[in-house]
Amino acid sequence: MAEPASYNAAIDLLSSNIKRGRGDKTAYVDAAGHHSFAKLDQLSNRAANALRRAGLQPGDRITLCMFDSFELPVVFLGAIKAGIIPVPLNTLLTSRDYSYILNDCGARALFVSPPLLPQFADFLEADSNDVAVIVDGAHKDDCGHALLNDFIAAGGDAFEAVRTAAGDMCFWLYTSGTTGRPKGVVHVHSSLMSTARQYARPVLGIGDSDMIYSAAKFFFAYGLGNQLTFPLATGAAAVLLAGPPTPEAVCEIIREQKPTVFFGVPTLYAMLLASDLLPGPDEHNLRVCVSAGEALPAELLTRWKKRMGVEILDGIGSTEMLHIFLSNRSGQVKLNSTGKAVDGYEARLVDDDGQPVAVGELGSLEVAGPTSATMYWNQPERSSATFRGRWTRTGDQYHVDEEGFFIFGGRSDDMLKVGGIFVSPFEVESALVEHDAVMEAAVVGQADQDELIKPKAFVVLHSGVDSSAELADELKKFVKTRLAGYKYPRWIEFTDELPKTATGKIQRFKLRD
């Protein structure tokens, strides 16, 4: 059998820009200034050399818990050149989450921004830990860990990429599970460029004259495509924001950096409209805006277009499929719909027996396409339940209207999407019942004033404990001390009992009703 042709995603993404004379063109803008494609290529070579010099071998995993800056794509691409598997981590997780993930993926190294280092203290103090730690940015020289600038500086400018194939393991992303246990989603080399070929170029028309800003961070599948794959595949530039995408920070970028393509989530669009900080239609360069992560209410889209003069293209992607596979198109936006399948993808709706449903009927969304992950690491049962031949089960319910547009109908499981991030009701419930006053809890999604879903908790208190607004506030703060901040319940309703089945399972659908 012939050996597969050599293909390395990092080389493919970078080489075309150098060959087309874009070496001196800006690839990224961050707090430190402008960085060219040639600089990115050079420093990623140094990172690859440094990783190999540190003893890492092809197939080893490194974790990247870093705020968005130029150094993040440098390390990510350098690892891929060296055949090493980069695993970007959500910067909003807890110490317990990080310990689980680093153990699960068998990380050999951790690249981390200084403010996040304390979150890894418990893991790093374990006797069995032998993970190398490289700290990004300014930090005390006596921190006890290598500094990223020093780590990379000693590497040579030239590096011959490790021979890999298009179907080889390339990078992982972690996504929440239905019980709160993260799942390592394994992607191959060919998937990165495929997202640009299928979506960035034909749907968004991104080219080398564009400036991209994504509020979704690098560690999201959505943000990874927006901030890494799309600019490198098209020669566009991208703005990186290290801090949170507050309305003040986002509006400053829109005014000062003049991006032409903006990627957000419905919660952020609502915040921006409520802030009254947005520039007028003649004070920005936006030509297309994209929304994903949760369903976009029609009212938000209408208000945004009226305020900014630009429509929002709502779509849906997933960590398992890497980026958007259903989308509206410019000039063909249908309110309250997620659009139609992106070219190169197939989408179908099936019932509980796996049979196709009729037009207008609710069914489970399954998708097939070139960017599907291969598995969940170390979780064969969940892998076989999600990756079914060429079809990937999304866990979303949809129906298709007479014009072929997909209309979101909720989740097949009890998972919530909050600000574009999955939240497990079970995880929030488990945190609540750790409080001495709480006997039982059930969490469901409830729409806020912008029709966006947030967690709501129904709480049964122990005998003798009185409900009060003060206790509700205390419980919210209690959850925040145990889980990532975005997971806390926005509302708490005290109740005498929870609806249950005959076998004692909580009937969350009754609470939603």
Side-chain angles (χ1 to χ4, degrees):
M1 180 179 292
E3 186 177 356
S6 179
Y7 176 84
N8 186 284
I11 299 300
D12 192 16
L13 287 167
L14 286 166
S15 62
S16 62
N17 292 294
I18 306 302
K19 291 177 181 177
R20 294 181 183 182
R22 298 186 187 127
D24 294 331
K25 182 181 180 296
T26 295
Y28 286 103
V29 181
D30 66 4
H34 290 243
H35 310 276
S36 69
F37 285 101
K39 181 179 179 182
L40 178 60
D41 190 35
Q42 177 194 56
L43 292 185
S44 60
N45 280 342
R46 290 184 182 179
N49 279 311
L51 288 165
R52 295 304 302 274
R53 189 178 63 250
L56 279 82
Q57 299 298 316
D60 285 344
R61 273 81 67 188
I62 63 170
T63 49
L64 291 73
C65 194
M66 301 164 64
F67 297 131
D68 286 6
S69 67
F70 181 59
E71 288 72 22
L72 189 43
V74 164
V75 178
F76 185 87
L77 293 167
I80 293 174
K81 285 181 176 181
I84 293 164
I85 313 300
V87 185
L89 302 183
N90 186 334
T91 58
L92 304 174
L93 299 181
T94 65
S95 296
R96 182 173 57 182
D97 295 326
Y98 291 134
S99 294
Y100 171 80
I101 292 174
L102 266 69
N103 282 313
D104 184 63
C105 74
R108 291 285 313 281
L110 165 67
F111 291 78
V112 59
S113 296
L116 301 172
L117 186 57
Q119 292 286 67
F120 294 88
D122 291 344
F123 174 82
L124 297 175
E125 289 171 3
D127 292 337
S128 59
N129 162 58
D130 61 352
V131 173
V133 179
I134 299 92
V135 178
D136 176 33
H139 203 280
K140 294 180 180 178
D141 292 340
D142 62 353
C143 69
H145 303 297
L147 301 181
L148 181 57
N149 288 344
D150 298 337
F151 181 79
I152 292 177
D157 290 346
F159 184 84
E160 184 176 350
V162 169
R163 182 180 176 85
T164 53
D168 286 348
M169 188 185 300
C170 183
F171 65 98
W172 301 1
L173 298 168
Y174 270 82
T175 185
S176 297
T178 54
T179 63
R181 182 185 179 190
K183 303 187 294 291
V185 182
V186 177
H187 280 287
V188 300
H189 278 262
S190 62
S191 293
L192 285 170
M193 187 62 82
S194 289
T195 61
R197 292 195 184 106
Q198 311 304 137
Y199 183 70
R201 291 171 180 162
V203 177
L204 303 181
I206 296 177
D208 61 9
S209 62
D210 278 306
M211 174 72 81
I212 297 170
Y213 171 60
S214 171
K217 296 296 186 177
F218 197 98
F219 58 77
F220 291 116
Y222 181 39
L224 180 65
N226 305 340
Q227 299 188 135
L228 180 102
T229 312
F230 294 177
L232 297 186
T234 62
V239 182
L240 299 178
L241 174 67
T246 62
E248 292 79 7
V250 172
C251 290
E252 181 179 356
I253 288 174
I254 293 174
R255 289 179 185 276
E256 301 299 325
Q257 300 296 341
K258 301 292 186 183
T260 56
V261 184
F262 173 53
F263 295 90
V265 297
T267 296
L268 177 59
Y269 283 112
M271 291 170 60
L272 291 171
L273 287 166
S275 72
D276 199 31
L277 296 172
L278 285 165
D282 59 347
E283 298 176 306
H284 66 78
N285 286 351
L286 294 176
R287 65 171 184 82
V288 61
C289 297
V290 181
S291 179
E294 54 188 324
L296 178 70
E299 188 263 348
L300 274 182
L301 191 158
T302 302
R303 287 169 55 204
W304 181 266
K305 186 175 182 180
K306 181 179 179 180
R307 180 69 173 81
M308 301 294 286
V310 183
E311 60 189 356
I312 302 173
L313 305 185
D314 191 21
I316 182 177
S318 68
T319 308
E320 291 80 0
M321 293 304 295
L322 193 55
H323 212 277
I324 291 173
F325 51 82
L326 293 179
S327 180
N328 281 277
R329 273 74 164 177
S330 294
Q332 303 174 42
V333 171
K334 184 164 188 177
L335 297 177
N336 289 321
S337 90
T338 316
K340 300 179 180 181
V342 171
D343 288 346
Y345 293 90
E346 297 176 66
R348 69 180 185 182
L349 302 179
V350 299
D351 60 21
D352 291 341
D353 296 321
Q355 298 301 308
V357 301
V359 172
E361 290 186 8
L362 204 64
S364 297
L365 176 65
E366 298 185 344
V367 61
T371 59
S372 176
T374 60
M375 63 175 150
Y376 296 129
W377 182 254
N378 274 339
Q379 298 197 38
E381 291 185 2
R382 290 185 178 180
S383 293
S384 60
T386 297
F387 307 107
R388 306 166 69 88
R390 70 189 190 94
W391 294 98
T392 298
R393 305 191 75 172
T394 67
D396 293 300
Q397 294 279 304
Y398 271 86
H399 76 266
V400 175
D401 67 12
E402 296 77 6
E403 298 177 285
F405 285 87
F406 283 76
I407 314 297
F408 182 64
R411 289 285 300 172
S412 304
D413 52 30
D414 289 314
M415 294 291 283
L416 309 176
K417 271 288 189 76
V418 180
I421 311 175
F422 274 120
V423 173
S424 165
F426 177 84
E427 187 179 21
V428 183
E429 292 162 2
S430 297
L432 282 166
V433 297
E434 290 181 24
H435 193 283
D436 291 340
V438 178
M439 183 173 71
E440 287 186 300
V443 172
V444 299
Q446 177 169 299
D448 64 12
Q449 70 273 11
D450 293 308
E451 300 181 42
L452 300 172
I453 299 300
K454 300 291 185 288
K456 176 179 179 178
F458 291 85
V459 172
V460 179
L461 298 173
H462 284 294
S463 177
V465 178
D466 295 327
S467 61
S468 66
E470 290 76 15
L471 178 57
D473 288 339
E474 180 181 332
L475 292 176
K476 294 176 186 179
K477 294 176 182 176
F478 183 79
V479 173
K480 287 182 179 180
T481 65
R482 281 157 172 73
L483 303 178
Y486 61 88
K487 297 182 180 182
Y488 84 95
R490 306 311 193 265
W491 308 274
I492 289 182
E493 183 174 324
F494 296 104
T495 183
D496 293 334
E497 61 181 357
L498 299 174
K500 297 177 181 177
T501 65
T503 58
K505 292 183 179 180
I506 296 173
Q507 296 174 308
R508 292 191 182 88
F509 71 92
K510 290 187 177 180
L511 297 174
R512 285 192 290 266
D513 293 340

